[in-house]
Structures are given as structure tokens and as C-alpha cells.
Amino acid sequence: MSSVSLPAAIPLPLTSDTMLLPLASTRVHAGFPSPAEDYQVKRIDLNAILITHPQATFLFRVAGESMREFGIFDGDMLLVNRAIKPCHGHIVVAVVDGEYAVKQLYLRAGRLKLKAGNPTYPEIVPSEGQTVEVWGVATSCIKLLRR
């Protein structure tokens, strides 16, 4: 077996600085509009909401369309937590023959598969001698709607 060198995954930097963003006290409706309410806001820190294990959390940018049915698209950013035990159905970052891939974990009766969220991409079923490591669990997907 040859040794494969992976690109370094960089943990999110830990700082004592927080950036508190305003959170409106009302929800925005995705159906019919609701009457406008007063703009009462409190401030929240997205790090406190999105990151439970700072030392084990990494940020990856997605390349490709294999997870589109899960709402994960090319250019999105994934927060990946290495401290979470991967379970059946989780969206995970795996290392397959030295390459990072984001897929849905299928783990039943000792059988492992990595399933794509796009029917034009095959699922990954490890064959004998193939190296597959579940690297971490994706916990959030960050999308930029406008650049």
C-alpha cells in the first residue's frame, strides 16, 4: 500500500473575539407574508450556535454537485466536526483512496457505503484493499446566496 499525503485540514481559529449579529425576534415566513412586527432584536454569536467542539471543527468548501439532493451545492462551505461519532444517515466527509469526499453514510449490519445525493453519481462501496476513512461529520452548510 502506498502512502498518500492529504491536504492539510485547518481547524477554525479560536479567538476570544466574538462577532455578535442581530437576531430579529420574529421568524420570516416562507409561505404567505405576515404583518410586520416591531424590529426587536437580540445579538447572537454564530460560533456559539454552530460550533460545539472548536478544536475538532473544520471548514471545507464543496466542489461538485454530487450532494445537491441534500441541499449541498458546489461552492457551499461545510462545518465538519471530528468529535461526533459518525452514524447511519449522517452527512460525512470521508477520505477515499487519499481523496476527500462528502457523502451520506450508510452503515447497516457492518456494511459501509457512501451514498451520493445525486442519481448521476454512483455510491461508493469499499472494495477489498480500498482505503476508506470517515473523517468527520458535517454539521452545517453555509451558502452564499449573493456574492
Side-chain angles (χ1 to χ4, degrees):
M1 177 185 280
S2 63
S3 172
V4 177
S5 163
L6 293 174
I10 308 298
L12 295 171
L14 294 177
T15 67
S16 59
D17 298 338
T18 57
M19 182 177 180
L20 298 177
L21 300 173
L23 174 67
S25 62
T26 185
R27 293 178 182 237
V28 62
H29 292 270
F32 295 102
S34 68
E37 295 182 20
D38 292 338
Y39 292 101
Q40 298 176 354
V41 296
K42 70 176 188 175
R43 298 224 173 244
I44 62 167
D45 177 10
L46 290 179
N47 290 325
I49 294 172
L50 298 176
I51 300 171
T52 55
H53 301 97
Q55 294 290 350
T57 301
F58 297 78
L59 191 61
F60 284 86
R61 186 169 303 275
V62 176
E65 296 292 332
S66 75
M67 296 300 285
R68 70 178 186 207
E69 290 181 10
F70 292 105
I72 302 169
F73 294 93
D74 186 61
D76 288 351
M77 291 178 283
L78 293 179
L79 282 172
V80 178
N81 189 328
R82 296 198 75 190
I84 296 174
K85 180 182 178 189
C87 296
H88 176 76
H90 280 169
I91 303 299
V92 299
V93 168
V95 180
V96 181
D97 291 332
E99 298 284 331
Y100 288 108
V102 58
K103 301 288 181 241
Q104 182 183 42
L105 180 63
Y106 176 94
L107 193 56
R108 287 287 187 239
R111 193 166 167 225
L112 174 114
K113 288 193 280 188
L114 299 171
K115 298 174 75 176
N118 180 336
T120 62
Y121 288 80
E123 54 187 34
I124 298 169
V125 180
S127 57
E128 177 130 2
Q130 188 174 30
T131 304
V132 174
E133 174 196 353
V134 176
W135 193 88
V137 176
T139 58
S140 298
C141 180
I142 301 169
K143 316 176 152 305
L144 297 178
L145 299 177
R146 190 169 144 182
R147 295 179 199 244

